[in-house]
Amino acid sequence: MKILVPVKRVIDYNVKVRVKQDQTGVELDNVKMAMNPFDEIAVEQALRVKEAGDADEIIIVSIGPIQSQETIRTGLAMGADRGIYIDAPHETEPLSVAKLLASVTEKEKPGLIMCGKQAIDDDNNQTGQMTAAILGWSQATFASSVSLTKDNAKVVREIDGGLETINIKLPAVITVDLRLNEPRYASLPNIMKAKKKPIDTLTTEELNVDVKPRLSVIKVEEPSTREAGIKVNSVEELVEKLQAEAKVI
Ligand code: AMP
């Protein structure tokens, strides 16, 4: 079985994001970019499935500007086998990404697509679900544990207030949550090996997908700054302030 792992190049989670002066988006120039953290977890899980003997090839796919190839290399250095880069604008929306992934799926015929639950830049949490819908495949979202049998996957899902265990038929799309695993670091020899692994390039035209945006961003704003806190000297003072000033008790 092949596993397809879509990975997105996003602003590194350690970077403080700044809004552009004209409020049309966030600053991307000279900003450190990295693989979306949930996608690292998806790559790690795919590697574990392969190591357990339940998959024989892991293909990393990234859609975006040319630098997305670096993100694919990160996945190859972790241990994936090959990459597919799809040349598209940075702002490609989830529906277009899902159509592109569905089109790659028709070509590659993977048994499983393992993706992140959401990309930390736009927080859409849509791509996995849309891809499953387009393909007519089963889906399990927010996975915190995955075990595979020949035709099924048992997935523990993180839901409000607890965990839900479901059984789905393969082929399927699984979107992964934070607690599923801890991704490995790429070793130096594996980084060197990854340089020789193949990355195919495809265009949106070849995949027959129109990636023209359907949404328009009206305005992007910084979150309002929080007021500074104060220190109180006693429990009595705290209770008094909560009653008289904050009016919460
Ligand atoms: P989103 O629906 O945008 O929050 O993204 C959910 C997941 O879909 C991500 O964690 C990735 O696995 C995948 N994904 C989203 N955008 C892209 C992209 N441009 N290239 C590859 N994978 C993507």
Side-chain angles (χ1 to χ4, degrees):
M1 177 175 77
K2 292 183 191 176
I3 306 181
L4 207 69
V5 186
V7 302
K8 187 175 186 191
R9 180 174 178 268
V10 298
I11 295 185
D12 187 283
Y13 72 95
N14 290 304
V15 170
K16 173 150 180 11
V17 176
R18 281 207 314 274
V19 172
K20 280 189 194 166
Q21 264 190 343
D22 62 6
Q23 297 191 312
T24 55
V26 299
E27 283 294 351
L28 292 178
D29 293 346
N30 303 316
V31 171
K32 183 170 180 240
M33 307 291 281
M35 186 188 293
N36 181 44
F38 293 110
D39 304 353
E40 285 185 7
I41 296 172
V43 175
E44 175 64 38
Q45 196 62 28
L47 292 171
R48 290 184 191 191
V49 171
K50 187 178 169 194
E51 285 159 2
D54 292 328
D56 31 49
E57 192 178 33
I58 299 170
I59 307 166
I60 307 284
V61 189
S62 194
I63 297 153
I66 186 78
Q67 298 88 336
S68 307
Q69 291 191 356
E70 293 161 22
T71 314
I72 295 176
R73 288 271 172 231
T74 306
L76 299 180
M78 286 172 74
D81 299 287
R82 64 185 167 96
I84 298 177
Y85 163 63
I86 303 170
D87 185 3
H90 175 78
E91 327 50 51
T92 305
E93 291 168 2
L95 182 57
S96 304
V97 172
K99 287 180 181 170
L100 290 165
L101 293 175
S103 184
V104 170
T105 299
E106 303 288 325
K107 279 176 184 277
E108 294 288 345
K109 311 233 175 310
L112 185 63
I113 298 177
M114 186 90 82
C115 62
K117 71 164 178 179
Q118 74 192 56
I120 61 164
D121 50 2
D122 293 329
D123 280 344
N124 281 313
N125 180 2
Q126 296 174 357
T127 306
Q129 295 88 324
M130 288 177 169
T131 308
I134 294 168
L135 291 168
W137 283 15
S138 326
Q139 59 170 296
T141 50
F142 310 112
S144 67
S145 159
V146 175
S147 43
L148 296 181
T149 54
K150 195 169 165 294
D151 302 312
N152 294 278
K154 192 163 110 185
V155 179
V156 179
R157 306 182 57 236
E158 301 217 1
I159 57 170
D160 281 350
L163 296 172
E164 178 188 58
T165 305
I166 59 170
N167 206 34
I168 55 170
K169 278 214 172 333
L170 298 178
V173 177
I174 298 179
T175 80
V176 307
D177 215 322
L178 197 63
R179 275 168 280 267
L180 179 60
N181 61 47
E182 218 168 281
R184 68 195 66 185
Y185 288 104
S187 64
L188 191 57
N190 283 348
I191 294 173
M192 301 312 286
K193 260 197 240 162
K195 291 187 201 273
K196 297 211 179 84
K197 293 183 181 175
I199 299 182
D200 288 336
T201 297
L202 294 172
T203 62
T204 57
E205 290 78 24
E206 279 170 296
L207 294 168
N208 211 8
V209 176
D210 175 7
V211 294
K212 256 205 314 291
R214 288 167 177 74
L215 309 173
S216 56
V217 175
I218 297 168
K219 194 167 152 195
V220 178
E221 289 173 272
E222 296 270 357
S224 51
T225 47
R226 286 174 56 182
E227 281 178 33
I230 54 160
K231 269 193 177 164
V232 290
N233 295 314
S234 66
V235 173
E236 290 72 30
E237 191 187 348
L238 173 65
V239 172
E240 194 256 299
K241 284 196 184 300
L242 289 175
Q243 274 172 343
E245 292 178 24
K247 296 194 176 24
V248 290
I249 54 172

